[in-house]
Amino acid sequence: MTTQPSPFASSPIVLDHPLIRHKLTRLRKVETSTAGVRRLVRELSLLMCYEATRDLPMETVEITTPLETMQAEQLAGPDVCFISILRAGNGLLDGMLDLVPFAPVGHIGLYRDPETLEAVEYYLKLPSQISSRRCVVVDPMLATGHSAAAALTRLKEKGAKRLLFVCLLSTPEGIACLKEHHPDVPVITCAIDRGLDEHGYIRPGLGDAGDRLFGTK
């Protein structure tokens, strides 16, 4: 999977695979149904997971094929976990768990205050041994960056040391926010959009990711 460099402060990895670009275009369309949105997000998350798990540690084991014994590589233990920022982050879990079905999953519930646009926490449930795991934090949208920054702060408070943030869409504002508060956390995204409107929504974006995933208004 190829990547393109970004000029923005935190140097996010912008995934540039043709399949990702194609599926993201279909996802953005206003006429795409709820079922279509769910399918596309699942497919995109699977492709994003490929990049997010690129450097997981490996170990060599002896196996027997139908023809002979050989030395082969496998993942070195349950090193990774996924953390979903509720509620829209759950839409990214299915594809990732298709690839890494043994990974434990944590959830952090945040909502955006409509006046201040700041993140307010209402739920937190995390896997055990979080300090020794790679924590892949997922949320479809990196808009203002406040929710993502708040989630990463809480995870660090709980002991997380190896963090990665994965999103479908991002903005220069959101990237700058994470750069300011969490310069040590890499960001993987499918696109960096133009920016935010007066309500804090990504433009051109794809609408409200949670509403489009779950068929709500």
Side-chain angles (χ1 to χ4, degrees):
M1 183 178 296
T2 60
T3 62
Q4 63 186 36
S6 168
F8 296 98
S10 61
S11 300
I13 298 172
V14 182
L15 301 182
D16 194 32
H17 194 285
L19 285 175
I20 287 180
R21 300 205 306 265
H22 171 75
K23 292 177 185 296
L24 186 58
T25 295
R26 293 179 59 196
L27 180 62
R28 289 183 188 270
K29 291 181 177 180
V30 67
E31 64 267 27
T32 301
S33 67
T34 299
V37 167
R38 291 172 180 167
R39 182 181 67 253
L40 288 164
V41 169
R42 182 176 188 139
E43 292 169 351
L44 282 163
S45 67
L46 192 151
L47 294 168
M48 296 169 73
C49 186
Y50 177 85
E51 186 67 32
T53 57
R54 174 178 292 277
D55 59 348
L56 290 179
M58 304 292 291
E59 63 183 3
T60 300
V61 296
E62 184 176 282
I63 66 169
T64 302
T65 76
L67 299 177
E68 64 182 49
T69 299
M70 66 170 290
Q71 298 294 308
E73 289 186 305
Q74 66 179 19
L75 291 175
D79 181 70
V80 66
C81 68
F82 299 119
I83 310 294
S84 169
I85 299 179
L86 298 174
R87 63 180 169 148
N90 282 357
L92 294 173
L93 288 176
D94 287 345
M96 294 189 172
L97 290 172
D98 284 345
L99 280 185
V100 196
F102 55 81
V105 176
H107 296 88
I108 180 166
L110 300 167
Y111 70 88
R112 185 171 58 177
D113 186 287
E115 299 297 327
T116 66
L117 302 183
E118 295 290 335
V120 180
E121 180 185 320
Y122 64 89
Y123 183 80
L124 183 66
K125 184 73 171 180
L126 301 175
S128 62
Q129 301 177 325
I130 192 172
S131 62
S132 62
R133 297 183 187 274
R134 157 121 15 130
C135 300
V136 180
V137 183
V138 297
D139 194 357
M141 315 293 269
L142 178 60
T144 65
H146 296 156
S147 294
L152 294 171
T153 295
R154 287 292 284 138
L155 291 171
K156 288 180 177 180
E157 290 173 353
K158 291 295 185 179
K161 297 180 176 64
R162 294 182 295 152
L163 291 156
L164 174 66
F165 186 81
V166 178
C167 60
L168 290 172
L169 297 182
S170 58
T171 66
E173 296 94 328
I175 292 167
C177 180
L178 288 197
K179 174 64 175 178
E180 177 183 357
H181 296 285
H182 299 285
D184 57 315
V185 178
V187 175
I188 293 177
T189 185
C190 293
I192 301 173
D193 276 13
R194 182 176 70 246
L196 301 171
D197 65 16
E198 64 274 18
H199 302 294
Y201 286 100
I202 296 177
R203 295 298 183 109
L206 53 80
D208 186 289
D211 285 344
R212 297 200 68 193
L213 277 164
F214 302 114
T216 55
K217 296 292 185 182

